[in-house]
Short mmCIF file of all heavy atoms in Angstrom, two decimals:
data_model
loop_
_atom_site.label_atom_id
_atom_site.label_comp_id
_atom_site.label_asym_id
_atom_site.label_seq_id
_atom_site.Cartn_x
_atom_site.Cartn_y
_atom_site.Cartn_z
N PHE A 259 -1.36 1.12 -18.45
CA PHE A 259 -0.79 -0.05 -17.90
C PHE A 259 0.68 -0.10 -18.18
O PHE A 259 1.14 0.33 -19.25
CB PHE A 259 -1.49 -1.31 -18.41
CG PHE A 259 -2.92 -1.33 -18.00
CD1 PHE A 259 -3.91 -1.05 -18.87
CD2 PHE A 259 -3.26 -1.77 -16.70
CE1 PHE A 259 -5.27 -1.13 -18.46
CE2 PHE A 259 -4.53 -1.89 -16.29
CZ PHE A 259 -5.59 -1.52 -17.15
N ALA A 260 1.40 -0.61 -17.25
CA ALA A 260 2.87 -0.72 -17.43
C ALA A 260 3.21 -1.87 -18.40
O ALA A 260 2.53 -2.92 -18.40
CB ALA A 260 3.57 -0.97 -16.06
N ALA A 261 4.29 -1.67 -19.12
CA ALA A 261 4.60 -2.75 -20.14
C ALA A 261 5.29 -3.96 -19.43
O ALA A 261 5.26 -5.08 -19.96
CB ALA A 261 5.59 -2.19 -21.13
N SER A 262 5.91 -3.70 -18.20
CA SER A 262 6.48 -4.82 -17.48
C SER A 262 6.28 -4.56 -15.95
O SER A 262 5.93 -3.51 -15.58
CB SER A 262 7.94 -4.86 -17.81
OG SER A 262 8.61 -3.68 -17.39
N ARG A 263 6.56 -5.60 -15.25
CA ARG A 263 6.44 -5.55 -13.73
C ARG A 263 7.56 -4.75 -13.20
O ARG A 263 8.72 -4.98 -13.63
CB ARG A 263 6.40 -6.97 -13.27
CG ARG A 263 6.13 -7.03 -11.76
CD ARG A 263 6.00 -8.45 -11.28
NE ARG A 263 5.65 -8.48 -9.90
CZ ARG A 263 6.00 -9.41 -9.05
NH1 ARG A 263 6.74 -10.42 -9.50
NH2 ARG A 263 5.64 -9.36 -7.88
N PRO A 264 7.31 -3.93 -12.19
CA PRO A 264 8.48 -3.18 -11.55
C PRO A 264 9.49 -4.17 -10.96
O PRO A 264 9.12 -5.15 -10.42
CB PRO A 264 7.85 -2.37 -10.45
CG PRO A 264 6.36 -2.47 -10.64
CD PRO A 264 6.08 -3.65 -11.52
N GLU A 265 10.75 -3.80 -11.12
CA GLU A 265 11.80 -4.64 -10.62
C GLU A 265 12.06 -4.37 -9.15
O GLU A 265 12.39 -5.32 -8.37
CB GLU A 265 13.04 -4.47 -11.41
CG GLU A 265 12.98 -4.99 -12.80
CD GLU A 265 14.26 -4.83 -13.56
OE1 GLU A 265 15.29 -4.84 -12.93
OE2 GLU A 265 14.16 -4.79 -14.80
N ASN A 266 11.95 -3.18 -8.70
CA ASN A 266 12.14 -2.77 -7.35
C ASN A 266 10.88 -2.73 -6.57
O ASN A 266 10.19 -1.65 -6.48
CB ASN A 266 12.90 -1.42 -7.32
CG ASN A 266 14.19 -1.44 -7.98
OD1 ASN A 266 14.90 -2.46 -7.90
ND2 ASN A 266 14.61 -0.37 -8.71
N LEU A 267 10.49 -3.79 -5.98
CA LEU A 267 9.28 -3.82 -5.16
C LEU A 267 9.56 -3.27 -3.81
O LEU A 267 10.65 -3.34 -3.29
CB LEU A 267 8.78 -5.26 -5.03
CG LEU A 267 8.34 -5.96 -6.32
CD1 LEU A 267 7.91 -7.39 -6.02
CD2 LEU A 267 7.20 -5.25 -7.04
N LEU A 268 8.54 -2.61 -3.27
CA LEU A 268 8.65 -2.04 -1.88
C LEU A 268 8.42 -3.10 -0.89
O LEU A 268 7.69 -4.06 -1.06
CB LEU A 268 7.61 -0.98 -1.70
CG LEU A 268 7.66 0.27 -2.58
CD1 LEU A 268 6.46 1.14 -2.41
CD2 LEU A 268 8.92 1.05 -2.37
N THR A 269 9.12 -2.93 0.28
CA THR A 269 8.79 -3.76 1.47
C THR A 269 7.50 -3.22 2.11
O THR A 269 7.49 -1.93 2.31
CB THR A 269 9.98 -3.75 2.44
OG1 THR A 269 11.05 -4.28 1.80
CG2 THR A 269 9.68 -4.53 3.68
N VAL A 270 6.49 -3.97 2.38
CA VAL A 270 5.31 -3.46 2.93
C VAL A 270 5.21 -3.80 4.44
O VAL A 270 5.31 -4.96 4.90
CB VAL A 270 4.06 -4.11 2.21
CG1 VAL A 270 2.76 -3.61 2.84
CG2 VAL A 270 4.09 -3.80 0.73
N ASP A 271 5.15 -2.79 5.27
CA ASP A 271 4.96 -2.87 6.73
C ASP A 271 3.49 -2.71 6.98
O ASP A 271 2.97 -1.60 6.90
CB ASP A 271 5.80 -1.79 7.44
CG ASP A 271 7.28 -1.97 7.24
OD1 ASP A 271 7.75 -3.13 7.09
OD2 ASP A 271 8.02 -0.89 7.24
N PHE A 272 2.81 -3.74 7.31
CA PHE A 272 1.40 -3.74 7.55
C PHE A 272 1.15 -4.33 8.97
O PHE A 272 1.21 -5.47 9.24
CB PHE A 272 0.69 -4.74 6.58
CG PHE A 272 -0.75 -4.39 6.16
CD1 PHE A 272 -1.06 -4.46 4.87
CD2 PHE A 272 -1.65 -3.98 7.12
CE1 PHE A 272 -2.36 -4.11 4.44
CE2 PHE A 272 -2.91 -3.64 6.73
CZ PHE A 272 -3.29 -3.75 5.36
N PRO A 273 0.96 -3.38 9.94
CA PRO A 273 0.80 -3.75 11.35
C PRO A 273 -0.31 -4.80 11.50
O PRO A 273 -1.34 -4.72 10.81
CB PRO A 273 0.40 -2.46 12.07
CG PRO A 273 0.95 -1.39 11.17
CD PRO A 273 0.83 -1.92 9.79
N PRO A 274 -0.02 -5.89 12.27
CA PRO A 274 -0.98 -6.94 12.41
C PRO A 274 -2.51 -6.45 12.80
O PRO A 274 -3.44 -6.99 12.30
CB PRO A 274 -0.49 -7.81 13.54
CG PRO A 274 1.00 -7.48 13.53
CD PRO A 274 1.13 -6.11 13.08
N GLU A 275 -2.56 -5.46 13.67
CA GLU A 275 -3.86 -4.95 14.04
C GLU A 275 -4.62 -4.34 12.91
O GLU A 275 -5.84 -4.39 12.81
CB GLU A 275 -3.77 -4.02 15.27
CG GLU A 275 -3.11 -2.74 14.99
CD GLU A 275 -1.62 -2.73 15.15
OE1 GLU A 275 -1.01 -3.87 15.33
OE2 GLU A 275 -0.98 -1.71 15.03
N LEU A 276 -3.94 -3.74 11.93
CA LEU A 276 -4.55 -3.19 10.76
C LEU A 276 -4.86 -4.28 9.71
O LEU A 276 -5.87 -4.31 9.08
CB LEU A 276 -3.74 -2.07 10.12
CG LEU A 276 -3.50 -0.84 10.95
CD1 LEU A 276 -2.55 0.15 10.29
CD2 LEU A 276 -4.73 -0.19 11.34
N LEU A 277 -3.89 -5.19 9.57
CA LEU A 277 -4.12 -6.25 8.63
C LEU A 277 -5.32 -7.16 8.97
O LEU A 277 -6.06 -7.61 8.15
CB LEU A 277 -2.85 -7.19 8.52
CG LEU A 277 -2.81 -8.19 7.51
CD1 LEU A 277 -2.99 -7.67 6.07
CD2 LEU A 277 -1.52 -9.02 7.55
N SER A 278 -5.53 -7.28 10.27
CA SER A 278 -6.60 -8.16 10.72
C SER A 278 -8.03 -7.53 10.38
O SER A 278 -9.01 -8.22 10.35
CB SER A 278 -6.57 -8.44 12.24
OG SER A 278 -6.78 -7.25 13.00
N ALA A 279 -8.05 -6.28 10.09
CA ALA A 279 -9.25 -5.53 9.69
C ALA A 279 -9.65 -5.86 8.24
O ALA A 279 -10.80 -5.63 7.85
CB ALA A 279 -9.10 -4.04 9.87
N VAL A 280 -8.69 -6.41 7.48
CA VAL A 280 -8.95 -6.69 6.08
C VAL A 280 -9.24 -8.26 5.94
O VAL A 280 -8.59 -9.03 6.50
CB VAL A 280 -7.68 -6.42 5.24
CG1 VAL A 280 -7.87 -6.80 3.79
CG2 VAL A 280 -7.35 -4.94 5.30
N PRO A 281 -10.32 -8.60 5.24
CA PRO A 281 -10.70 -10.01 5.11
C PRO A 281 -9.51 -10.79 4.57
O PRO A 281 -8.72 -10.34 3.69
CB PRO A 281 -11.84 -10.06 4.05
CG PRO A 281 -12.41 -8.68 4.19
CD PRO A 281 -11.27 -7.76 4.49
N GLU A 282 -9.37 -12.01 5.11
CA GLU A 282 -8.18 -12.85 4.83
C GLU A 282 -8.01 -13.09 3.29
O GLU A 282 -6.93 -13.11 2.77
CB GLU A 282 -8.33 -14.19 5.52
CG GLU A 282 -7.04 -15.09 5.52
CD GLU A 282 -7.19 -16.23 6.45
OE1 GLU A 282 -8.00 -16.22 7.34
OE2 GLU A 282 -6.38 -17.18 6.20
N GLU A 283 -9.13 -13.27 2.56
CA GLU A 283 -9.02 -13.51 1.13
C GLU A 283 -8.53 -12.33 0.33
O GLU A 283 -8.17 -12.48 -0.83
CB GLU A 283 -10.38 -14.03 0.55
CG GLU A 283 -11.51 -13.07 0.65
CD GLU A 283 -12.31 -12.99 1.99
OE1 GLU A 283 -11.93 -13.66 2.95
OE2 GLU A 283 -13.35 -12.38 1.99
N LEU A 284 -8.48 -11.12 0.89
CA LEU A 284 -8.02 -9.94 0.24
C LEU A 284 -6.54 -9.62 0.55
O LEU A 284 -5.90 -8.77 -0.17
CB LEU A 284 -8.84 -8.74 0.57
CG LEU A 284 -10.28 -8.79 0.11
CD1 LEU A 284 -11.06 -7.57 0.57
CD2 LEU A 284 -10.42 -8.97 -1.43
N ARG A 285 -6.03 -10.10 1.64
CA ARG A 285 -4.77 -9.70 2.17
C ARG A 285 -3.59 -9.92 1.25
O ARG A 285 -2.79 -8.97 1.02
CB ARG A 285 -4.48 -10.44 3.50
CG ARG A 285 -5.35 -10.10 4.62
CD ARG A 285 -5.17 -10.87 5.84
NE ARG A 285 -6.24 -10.61 6.77
CZ ARG A 285 -6.43 -11.31 7.93
NH1 ARG A 285 -5.56 -12.25 8.17
NH2 ARG A 285 -7.37 -11.05 8.71
N GLU A 286 -3.41 -11.08 0.63
CA GLU A 286 -2.26 -11.35 -0.24
C GLU A 286 -2.30 -10.37 -1.49
O GLU A 286 -1.29 -9.77 -1.84
CB GLU A 286 -2.25 -12.75 -0.74
CG GLU A 286 -1.11 -13.19 -1.59
CD GLU A 286 -1.06 -14.58 -1.97
OE1 GLU A 286 -1.79 -15.44 -1.35
OE2 GLU A 286 -0.33 -14.90 -2.88
N GLY A 287 -3.46 -10.23 -2.03
CA GLY A 287 -3.61 -9.33 -3.22
C GLY A 287 -3.35 -7.86 -2.83
O GLY A 287 -2.66 -7.15 -3.63
N LEU A 288 -3.80 -7.45 -1.67
CA LEU A 288 -3.58 -6.06 -1.30
C LEU A 288 -2.11 -5.77 -1.00
O LEU A 288 -1.55 -4.83 -1.47
CB LEU A 288 -4.37 -5.73 0.00
CG LEU A 288 -4.12 -4.42 0.66
CD1 LEU A 288 -4.41 -3.29 -0.32
CD2 LEU A 288 -5.01 -4.22 1.90
N ILE A 289 -1.39 -6.74 -0.34
CA ILE A 289 -0.04 -6.57 -0.10
C ILE A 289 0.82 -6.55 -1.40
O ILE A 289 1.74 -5.82 -1.59
CB ILE A 289 0.49 -7.65 0.87
CG1 ILE A 289 -0.05 -7.39 2.26
CG2 ILE A 289 2.06 -7.64 0.94
CD1 ILE A 289 0.14 -8.51 3.26
N GLY A 290 0.38 -7.40 -2.39
CA GLY A 290 0.97 -7.44 -3.70
C GLY A 290 0.86 -6.09 -4.41
O GLY A 290 1.81 -5.60 -4.99
N VAL A 291 -0.34 -5.56 -4.41
CA VAL A 291 -0.51 -4.22 -5.05
C VAL A 291 0.29 -3.13 -4.39
O VAL A 291 0.96 -2.29 -4.97
CB VAL A 291 -2.06 -3.84 -4.98
CG1 VAL A 291 -2.27 -2.37 -5.36
CG2 VAL A 291 -2.80 -4.76 -5.97
N LEU A 292 0.26 -3.08 -3.02
CA LEU A 292 1.05 -2.11 -2.33
C LEU A 292 2.52 -2.27 -2.55
O LEU A 292 3.28 -1.26 -2.66
CB LEU A 292 0.73 -2.23 -0.74
CG LEU A 292 -0.68 -1.87 -0.32
CD1 LEU A 292 -0.87 -2.20 1.11
CD2 LEU A 292 -0.91 -0.39 -0.64
N SER A 293 3.07 -3.47 -2.70
CA SER A 293 4.50 -3.65 -2.92
C SER A 293 4.93 -3.09 -4.30
O SER A 293 6.07 -2.77 -4.49
CB SER A 293 4.91 -5.13 -2.86
OG SER A 293 4.37 -5.82 -3.93
N CYS A 294 3.99 -2.93 -5.23
CA CYS A 294 4.28 -2.35 -6.50
C CYS A 294 4.31 -0.82 -6.54
O CYS A 294 4.41 -0.22 -7.67
CB CYS A 294 3.29 -2.92 -7.57
SG CYS A 294 3.55 -4.66 -7.94
N ASP A 295 4.14 -0.27 -5.42
CA ASP A 295 4.14 1.23 -5.24
C ASP A 295 3.01 1.92 -6.08
O ASP A 295 3.27 2.44 -7.19
CB ASP A 295 5.52 1.79 -5.67
CG ASP A 295 5.74 3.20 -5.24
OD1 ASP A 295 4.82 3.83 -4.67
OD2 ASP A 295 6.88 3.74 -5.44
N PRO A 296 1.85 1.95 -5.54
CA PRO A 296 0.71 2.56 -6.19
C PRO A 296 0.65 4.08 -6.22
O PRO A 296 -0.33 4.67 -6.65
CB PRO A 296 -0.49 1.91 -5.45
CG PRO A 296 -0.05 1.72 -4.07
CD PRO A 296 1.45 1.35 -4.24
N ARG A 297 1.72 4.74 -5.80
CA ARG A 297 1.76 6.22 -5.80
C ARG A 297 1.92 6.72 -7.24
O ARG A 297 2.49 5.99 -8.05
CB ARG A 297 2.89 6.77 -5.04
CG ARG A 297 3.00 6.43 -3.56
CD ARG A 297 4.32 7.01 -3.02
NE ARG A 297 5.39 6.30 -3.66
CZ ARG A 297 6.70 6.60 -3.48
NH1 ARG A 297 7.02 7.64 -2.79
NH2 ARG A 297 7.62 5.91 -4.10
N PRO A 298 1.49 7.92 -7.47
CA PRO A 298 1.86 8.51 -8.78
C PRO A 298 3.38 8.56 -8.92
O PRO A 298 4.11 8.90 -7.91
CB PRO A 298 1.26 9.97 -8.77
CG PRO A 298 0.19 9.85 -7.71
CD PRO A 298 0.66 8.83 -6.70
N SER A 299 3.96 8.33 -10.07
CA SER A 299 5.39 8.14 -10.26
C SER A 299 6.10 9.51 -9.93
O SER A 299 7.30 9.51 -9.66
CB SER A 299 5.76 7.70 -11.59
OG SER A 299 5.28 8.61 -12.57
N TYR A 300 5.45 10.66 -9.99
CA TYR A 300 6.03 11.94 -9.75
C TYR A 300 6.06 12.32 -8.28
O TYR A 300 6.57 13.37 -7.91
CB TYR A 300 5.36 13.00 -10.60
CG TYR A 300 3.90 13.20 -10.28
CD1 TYR A 300 3.38 13.89 -9.23
CD2 TYR A 300 2.98 12.52 -11.13
CE1 TYR A 300 2.02 13.97 -9.01
CE2 TYR A 300 1.63 12.61 -10.94
CZ TYR A 300 1.16 13.36 -9.88
OH TYR A 300 -0.22 13.39 -9.64
N GLN A 301 5.54 11.49 -7.39
CA GLN A 301 5.50 11.74 -5.98
C GLN A 301 6.59 11.03 -5.21
O GLN A 301 6.85 9.87 -5.45
CB GLN A 301 4.13 11.33 -5.39
CG GLN A 301 2.90 12.06 -5.86
CD GLN A 301 2.87 13.42 -5.32
OE1 GLN A 301 3.48 13.78 -4.32
NE2 GLN A 301 2.09 14.32 -5.97
N SER A 302 7.24 11.73 -4.34
CA SER A 302 8.29 11.10 -3.53
C SER A 302 8.37 11.73 -2.14
O SER A 302 9.42 11.61 -1.48
CB SER A 302 9.57 11.19 -4.28
OG SER A 302 9.97 12.51 -4.44
N ASP A 303 7.37 12.37 -1.68
CA ASP A 303 7.42 12.97 -0.35
C ASP A 303 7.16 11.93 0.74
O ASP A 303 6.07 11.45 0.83
CB ASP A 303 6.31 14.05 -0.30
CG ASP A 303 6.20 14.86 1.03
OD1 ASP A 303 7.01 14.48 1.89
OD2 ASP A 303 5.39 15.66 1.15
N PRO A 304 8.18 11.70 1.59
CA PRO A 304 8.00 10.68 2.55
C PRO A 304 6.99 10.99 3.72
O PRO A 304 6.56 10.16 4.41
CB PRO A 304 9.41 10.49 3.16
CG PRO A 304 10.14 11.83 2.87
CD PRO A 304 9.53 12.27 1.58
N GLU A 305 6.65 12.28 3.79
CA GLU A 305 5.66 12.69 4.87
C GLU A 305 4.21 12.63 4.29
O GLU A 305 3.30 12.67 5.09
CB GLU A 305 5.94 14.12 5.28
CG GLU A 305 7.34 14.27 5.87
CD GLU A 305 7.51 13.48 7.16
OE1 GLU A 305 6.61 13.40 7.98
OE2 GLU A 305 8.59 12.82 7.35
N ARG A 306 4.03 12.51 3.01
CA ARG A 306 2.68 12.54 2.44
C ARG A 306 1.95 11.22 2.66
O ARG A 306 2.55 10.12 2.58
CB ARG A 306 2.79 12.72 0.91
CG ARG A 306 1.36 12.83 0.33
CD ARG A 306 1.52 13.26 -1.18
NE ARG A 306 0.14 13.29 -1.72
CZ ARG A 306 -0.20 13.99 -2.72
NH1 ARG A 306 0.71 14.77 -3.28
NH2 ARG A 306 -1.40 13.99 -3.16
N VAL A 307 0.70 11.26 3.04
CA VAL A 307 -0.12 10.07 3.27
C VAL A 307 -0.98 9.88 2.00
O VAL A 307 -1.70 10.75 1.56
CB VAL A 307 -1.03 10.26 4.49
CG1 VAL A 307 -1.90 9.07 4.60
CG2 VAL A 307 -0.19 10.47 5.73
N TYR A 308 -0.76 8.72 1.39
CA TYR A 308 -1.48 8.36 0.19
C TYR A 308 -2.66 7.42 0.51
O TYR A 308 -2.65 6.80 1.56
CB TYR A 308 -0.50 7.56 -0.79
CG TYR A 308 0.65 8.40 -1.21
CD1 TYR A 308 1.88 8.33 -0.45
CD2 TYR A 308 0.65 9.32 -2.21
CE1 TYR A 308 2.96 9.08 -0.79
CE2 TYR A 308 1.72 10.05 -2.55
CZ TYR A 308 2.90 9.94 -1.88
OH TYR A 308 3.97 10.71 -2.17
N GLY A 309 -3.57 7.26 -0.40
CA GLY A 309 -4.74 6.42 -0.22
C GLY A 309 -4.97 5.53 -1.39
O GLY A 309 -4.62 5.87 -2.55
N LEU A 310 -5.53 4.34 -1.14
CA LEU A 310 -5.87 3.39 -2.16
C LEU A 310 -7.13 2.65 -1.77
O LEU A 310 -7.20 2.18 -0.62
CB LEU A 310 -4.70 2.34 -2.23
CG LEU A 310 -4.95 1.14 -3.10
CD1 LEU A 310 -4.88 1.52 -4.64
CD2 LEU A 310 -3.85 0.11 -2.84
N ASP A 311 -8.03 2.57 -2.64
CA ASP A 311 -9.28 1.75 -2.48
C ASP A 311 -9.01 0.37 -3.06
O ASP A 311 -8.58 0.32 -4.22
CB ASP A 311 -10.48 2.44 -3.13
CG ASP A 311 -10.89 3.72 -2.42
OD1 ASP A 311 -10.46 3.92 -1.28
OD2 ASP A 311 -11.71 4.44 -3.03
N PHE A 312 -9.25 -0.64 -2.29
CA PHE A 312 -9.07 -2.06 -2.71
C PHE A 312 -10.05 -2.93 -2.00
O PHE A 312 -10.08 -2.99 -0.79
CB PHE A 312 -7.53 -2.47 -2.35
CG PHE A 312 -7.25 -3.82 -2.85
CD1 PHE A 312 -6.64 -4.04 -4.07
CD2 PHE A 312 -7.51 -5.00 -2.06
CE1 PHE A 312 -6.27 -5.28 -4.57
CE2 PHE A 312 -7.11 -6.25 -2.51
CZ PHE A 312 -6.59 -6.37 -3.75
N GLY A 313 -10.84 -3.64 -2.82
CA GLY A 313 -11.74 -4.59 -2.31
C GLY A 313 -12.72 -4.17 -1.31
O GLY A 313 -13.09 -4.82 -0.39
N GLY A 314 -13.14 -2.89 -1.41
CA GLY A 314 -14.07 -2.32 -0.54
C GLY A 314 -13.44 -1.70 0.76
O GLY A 314 -14.12 -1.33 1.69
N TYR A 315 -12.13 -1.56 0.70
CA TYR A 315 -11.32 -1.00 1.87
C TYR A 315 -10.56 0.17 1.36
O TYR A 315 -10.06 0.25 0.27
CB TYR A 315 -10.45 -2.03 2.49
CG TYR A 315 -11.22 -3.00 3.30
CD1 TYR A 315 -11.92 -4.06 2.69
CD2 TYR A 315 -11.30 -2.87 4.72
CE1 TYR A 315 -12.72 -4.89 3.43
CE2 TYR A 315 -12.11 -3.75 5.39
CZ TYR A 315 -12.78 -4.78 4.80
OH TYR A 315 -13.53 -5.64 5.54
N ASN A 316 -10.43 1.21 2.20
CA ASN A 316 -9.54 2.37 1.94
C ASN A 316 -8.35 2.21 2.83
O ASN A 316 -8.45 2.05 4.01
CB ASN A 316 -10.27 3.64 2.23
CG ASN A 316 -9.36 4.81 1.88
OD1 ASN A 316 -8.68 5.33 2.82
ND2 ASN A 316 -9.33 5.21 0.67
N VAL A 317 -7.18 2.11 2.15
CA VAL A 317 -5.91 1.94 2.83
C VAL A 317 -5.08 3.20 2.70
O VAL A 317 -4.89 3.74 1.61
CB VAL A 317 -5.14 0.74 2.22
CG1 VAL A 317 -3.87 0.51 2.91
CG2 VAL A 317 -6.03 -0.55 2.22
N LYS A 318 -4.61 3.70 3.76
CA LYS A 318 -3.77 4.93 3.86
C LYS A 318 -2.34 4.44 4.16
O LYS A 318 -2.13 3.56 5.02
CB LYS A 318 -4.23 5.90 4.89
CG LYS A 318 -5.64 6.36 4.73
CD LYS A 318 -5.75 7.39 3.68
CE LYS A 318 -7.18 7.90 3.61
NZ LYS A 318 -7.47 8.80 2.57
N PHE A 319 -1.35 5.07 3.44
CA PHE A 319 0.02 4.58 3.66
C PHE A 319 1.03 5.76 3.36
O PHE A 319 0.66 6.74 2.72
CB PHE A 319 0.30 3.44 2.75
CG PHE A 319 0.18 3.68 1.27
CD1 PHE A 319 1.21 4.13 0.49
CD2 PHE A 319 -1.07 3.54 0.67
CE1 PHE A 319 1.03 4.40 -0.86
CE2 PHE A 319 -1.28 3.80 -0.68
CZ PHE A 319 -0.25 4.23 -1.44
N THR A 320 2.26 5.60 3.82
CA THR A 320 3.34 6.41 3.53
C THR A 320 4.46 5.57 2.85
O THR A 320 4.44 4.35 3.06
CB THR A 320 3.93 7.17 4.76
OG1 THR A 320 4.30 6.19 5.73
CG2 THR A 320 2.89 8.08 5.35
N VAL A 321 5.32 6.26 2.17
CA VAL A 321 6.48 5.55 1.57
C VAL A 321 7.79 6.30 1.79
O VAL A 321 7.79 7.51 1.52
CB VAL A 321 6.27 5.36 0.04
CG1 VAL A 321 7.45 4.61 -0.64
CG2 VAL A 321 4.93 4.61 -0.29
N ALA A 322 8.80 5.62 2.33
CA ALA A 322 10.14 6.24 2.51
C ALA A 322 11.14 5.14 2.50
O ALA A 322 11.00 4.03 3.02
CB ALA A 322 10.15 6.95 3.91
N ASP A 323 12.24 5.45 1.81
CA ASP A 323 13.40 4.57 1.79
C ASP A 323 13.05 3.08 1.39
O ASP A 323 13.52 2.16 2.04
CB ASP A 323 14.13 4.54 3.13
CG ASP A 323 14.58 5.94 3.51
OD1 ASP A 323 15.01 6.66 2.65
OD2 ASP A 323 14.54 6.24 4.74
N GLY A 324 12.29 2.92 0.33
CA GLY A 324 11.90 1.63 -0.15
C GLY A 324 10.94 0.80 0.71
O GLY A 324 10.74 -0.38 0.51
N ARG A 325 10.32 1.48 1.66
CA ARG A 325 9.33 0.81 2.59
C ARG A 325 8.04 1.53 2.52
O ARG A 325 7.95 2.75 2.68
CB ARG A 325 9.87 0.76 4.02
CG ARG A 325 11.09 0.03 4.21
CD ARG A 325 11.58 -0.10 5.57
NE ARG A 325 10.89 -1.20 6.33
CZ ARG A 325 11.27 -2.46 6.21
NH1 ARG A 325 12.24 -2.81 5.41
NH2 ARG A 325 10.62 -3.38 6.88
N LEU A 326 6.95 0.75 2.41
CA LEU A 326 5.63 1.31 2.43
C LEU A 326 5.04 0.91 3.82
O LEU A 326 5.02 -0.25 4.11
CB LEU A 326 4.81 0.68 1.31
CG LEU A 326 3.39 1.20 1.15
CD1 LEU A 326 2.91 1.26 -0.27
CD2 LEU A 326 2.37 0.40 1.99
N ALA A 327 4.55 1.92 4.55
CA ALA A 327 4.03 1.69 5.89
C ALA A 327 2.54 1.99 5.78
O ALA A 327 2.14 3.11 5.51
CB ALA A 327 4.75 2.55 6.96
N VAL A 328 1.72 0.95 6.12
CA VAL A 328 0.26 1.13 6.14
C VAL A 328 -0.06 1.91 7.46
O VAL A 328 0.38 1.52 8.53
CB VAL A 328 -0.45 -0.18 6.11
CG1 VAL A 328 -1.95 -0.03 6.24
CG2 VAL A 328 -0.13 -0.87 4.75
N ARG A 329 -0.86 2.94 7.29
CA ARG A 329 -1.26 3.78 8.46
C ARG A 329 -2.74 3.51 8.86
O ARG A 329 -2.98 3.66 10.07
CB ARG A 329 -1.16 5.25 8.08
CG ARG A 329 0.28 5.69 7.69
CD ARG A 329 1.23 5.46 8.78
NE ARG A 329 2.60 5.86 8.43
CZ ARG A 329 3.59 5.54 9.10
NH1 ARG A 329 3.57 4.76 10.15
NH2 ARG A 329 4.85 5.88 8.66
N SER A 330 -3.49 3.10 7.94
CA SER A 330 -4.92 2.73 8.34
C SER A 330 -5.53 1.79 7.22
O SER A 330 -5.09 1.89 6.07
CB SER A 330 -5.80 3.97 8.51
OG SER A 330 -6.00 4.68 7.36
N ALA A 331 -6.50 1.06 7.58
CA ALA A 331 -7.28 0.22 6.67
C ALA A 331 -8.67 0.15 7.16
O ALA A 331 -8.93 -0.36 8.27
CB ALA A 331 -6.66 -1.13 6.55
N ALA A 332 -9.64 0.75 6.41
CA ALA A 332 -11.03 0.83 6.85
C ALA A 332 -11.94 0.50 5.73
O ALA A 332 -11.68 0.86 4.57
CB ALA A 332 -11.28 2.18 7.49
N PRO A 333 -13.12 -0.10 6.04
CA PRO A 333 -14.12 -0.35 5.03
C PRO A 333 -14.56 1.00 4.42
O PRO A 333 -14.64 2.03 5.10
CB PRO A 333 -15.29 -0.96 5.76
CG PRO A 333 -14.70 -1.38 7.02
CD PRO A 333 -13.57 -0.59 7.34
N LEU A 334 -14.95 0.97 3.15
CA LEU A 334 -15.43 2.18 2.52
C LEU A 334 -16.86 2.49 2.99
O LEU A 334 -17.57 1.68 3.42
CB LEU A 334 -15.52 2.03 0.94
CG LEU A 334 -14.12 1.86 0.30
CD1 LEU A 334 -14.39 1.54 -1.19
CD2 LEU A 334 -13.35 3.19 0.41
#
């Protein structure tokens, strides 16, 4: 666990059609987790697609220039 909260949060681009696939009660928490950059700290490839399981959903995303772009969100 990190000793403190990251200071440089990412901007999360979550297309409305993908966000609507996630239950409303999970959305705020999911966006909060994504904004904290859940990638391994040694990764910085803007072309790489990362994955995160959250609340029974698998979310795929890319990160470039301080922006996290959600590519898909599907139930596990």
Side-chain angles (χ1 to χ4, degrees):
F259 294 101
S262 62
R263 185 174 186 212
E265 292 182 27
N266 298 324
L267 298 177
L268 297 172
T269 299
V270 177
D271 295 327
F272 209 137
E275 65 275 8
L276 296 178
L277 186 59
S278 68
V280 177
E282 192 171 339
E283 64 272 9
L284 296 177
R285 293 175 190 171
E286 184 178 345
L288 175 55
I289 292 170
V291 168
L292 292 172
S293 71
C294 290
D295 196 355
R297 300 174 296 169
S299 61
Y300 56 85
Q301 293 288 340
S302 62
D303 181 358
E305 300 298 316
R306 184 173 178 156
V307 177
Y308 300 92
L310 170 74
D311 291 345
F312 183 90
Y315 285 78
N316 182 262
V317 180
K318 302 285 187 184
F319 60 93
T320 57
V321 180
D323 301 322
R325 298 186 81 80
L326 183 147
V328 175
R329 303 297 178 196
S330 67
L334 292 174

